[in-house]
Amino acid sequence: MLLFFQLHRRIRALRRLQAHCQQRSLRTTTLTAFLLPLVTHCVFDHTAAREHNLVTEAVTTIGTISASLPWSKYCSLLRHYLKLLPVEKTFQKVIVR
């Protein structure tokens, strides 16, 4: 289990990433190749599943990242999550969010 301060730092880092994405100061390749997999790991990590605040911030961050993607990248991201729905039974609620 994460210590409270580590959890708080991760949540704060996700909020800062959201702010940078809203400013559209990051490249699309940076978002899709590096940041999106890191944030997705926070959602699907079995140990982080107990930390609902972290998962909620990660879902919000994925939404912010996807809002700043061009249509082709957004569509492929949406297809990816739609394909995960029947496979990942334990994370269906999170994937729908």
Side-chain angles (χ1 to χ4, degrees):
M1 188 160 138
L2 290 173
L3 295 172
F4 175 74
F5 293 113
Q6 290 175 341
L7 181 64
H8 177 69
R9 286 181 185 147
R10 288 182 185 187
I11 291 172
R12 196 171 60 197
L14 288 173
R15 287 183 184 150
R16 285 182 183 168
L17 178 60
Q18 289 175 23
H20 283 290
C21 289
Q22 288 172 347
Q23 294 172 356
R24 301 193 186 267
S25 61
L26 299 171
R27 292 183 184 178
T28 304
T29 54
T30 305
L31 292 173
T32 57
F34 300 107
L35 298 177
L36 197 58
L38 285 172
V39 175
T40 305
H41 177 73
C42 292
V43 173
F44 293 115
D45 188 19
H46 291 287
T47 58
R50 288 181 248 134
E51 308 296 340
H52 61 89
N53 292 331
L54 179 65
V55 173
T56 302
E57 264 326 298
V59 168
T60 306
T61 306
I62 290 173
T64 307
I65 289 173
S66 63
S68 61
L69 292 176
W71 174 250
S72 61
K73 299 289 184 179
Y74 174 77
C75 190
S76 65
L77 181 67
L78 182 63
R79 283 187 194 141
H80 171 73
Y81 283 119
L82 288 175
K83 286 179 185 177
L84 283 179
L85 274 174
V87 177
E88 295 288 336
K89 300 286 185 189
T90 57
F91 294 110
Q92 281 185 348
K93 286 183 181 179
V94 176
I95 292 172
V96 169
R97 286 191 339 196

